[in-house]
Amino acid sequence: MPYQKFEEYNIQVTDDVKKRYEQIIADLGEDTKREGLLKTPERASKAMQFLTQGYDQDAAEILKSAMFKESYNEMVIVKDIELYSLCEHHILPFFGKAHIAYIPNGHIVGLSKIPRIVDVFARRLQVQERLTEQILDCINETLKPEGVAVVIEASHMCMMMRGVQKQNSTTTTSGFRGAFEKIKTRTEFLKLISEKLS
């Protein structure tokens, strides 16, 4: 059976953005009629729609769809969540991992929903600082746990490919609410995300 991929795109948006990419490619000095570039404007248009699909998604509703009453009240950690986003300053990628923890307060959430809300906020034009805060606030306001912690480690192509061109640099951002504002709880979380499972 041949490979099939199903993705839906707004036809009007695809056509409008495609025309803009054709013009950009031409303005940069390339031949838009060259065989390798014939479909590039359309592909780029669809890629940008995919990479910014978070604008059309509601992270709080995703969490609410899988909230369950549960008496468990110890730390829940989902670490090493891959994330890919676009820097809003240069529209270049940044990518890395998010580590998220919460302490339930009567409700838990389906574990797959935590990476999903990371994607909702990452699939927008972003800065890492805001991305960290949006994930943190969404979990805190929707789940209403005893506490939430978010740490993001990412590499930014705007620093690696241009500007200072530092290929080995990474940026770490963090945010803490509730119980994680206490040194003991925060230290436990940071220790657990830094440990490698054997």
Side-chain angles (χ1 to χ4, degrees):
M1 182 176 194
Y3 170 70
Q4 290 184 311
K5 185 167 78 170
F6 298 98
E7 292 178 352
E8 292 184 15
Y9 296 97
N10 181 303
I11 294 171
Q12 184 64 52
V13 172
T14 300
D15 287 344
D16 288 348
V17 177
K18 172 186 170 182
K19 289 172 188 171
R20 290 181 174 89
Y21 270 116
E22 285 175 345
Q23 188 61 55
I24 290 168
I25 292 168
D27 288 346
L28 292 173
E30 262 289 3
D31 176 9
T32 58
K33 304 302 181 192
R34 185 163 62 79
E35 183 182 14
L37 291 174
L38 286 176
K39 294 186 177 180
T40 298
E42 182 177 351
R43 290 189 192 107
S45 174
K46 289 179 178 178
M48 283 303 294
Q49 289 178 74
F50 178 83
L51 294 172
T52 58
Q53 64 185 294
Y55 290 118
D56 298 321
Q57 298 172 337
D58 188 327
E61 288 304 315
I62 289 170
L63 283 181
K64 288 176 187 175
S65 73
M67 284 175 59
F68 309 99
K69 288 184 179 179
E70 190 59 59
S71 61
Y72 184 82
N73 62 359
E74 299 295 332
M75 196 182 300
V76 177
I77 301 175
V78 182
K79 67 179 189 175
D80 296 329
I81 302 167
E82 293 180 22
L83 70 85
Y84 302 91
S85 192
L86 291 174
C87 162
E88 68 179 35
H89 299 142
H90 303 97
I91 315 185
L92 286 173
F94 67 93
F95 54 92
K97 292 180 179 179
H99 314 286
I100 300 173
Y102 74 97
I103 298 173
N105 184 21
H107 288 87
I108 60 169
V109 67
L111 294 176
S112 68
K113 303 307 178 190
I114 292 176
R116 283 199 62 198
I117 66 164
V118 171
D119 283 347
V120 168
F121 292 117
R123 297 299 191 192
R124 302 175 183 188
L125 300 181
Q126 275 290 10
V127 294
Q128 185 174 330
E129 297 88 342
R130 184 192 313 125
L131 176 60
T132 304
E133 193 167 65
Q134 287 177 333
I135 295 167
L136 185 72
D137 288 342
C138 179
I139 296 171
N140 194 49
E141 293 166 12
T142 308
L143 200 54
K144 302 192 186 314
E146 292 289 341
V148 189
V150 176
V151 170
I152 294 177
E153 303 167 288
S155 298
H156 293 249
M157 297 305 282
C158 59
M159 287 180 64
M160 297 165 71
M161 289 181 69
R162 64 170 306 284
V164 294
Q165 299 180 52
K166 301 300 180 188
Q167 283 77 27
N168 297 313
S169 64
T170 58
T171 301
T172 301
T173 49
S174 62
F176 305 96
R177 297 284 187 274
F180 288 95
E181 294 176 272
K182 297 176 182 175
I183 296 295
K184 183 179 177 183
T185 311
R186 184 186 307 192
T187 301
E188 180 186 353
F189 165 68
L190 294 173
K191 182 174 181 287
L192 288 169
I193 66 170
S194 65
E195 290 176 348
K196 299 297 179 188
L197 297 176
S198 56

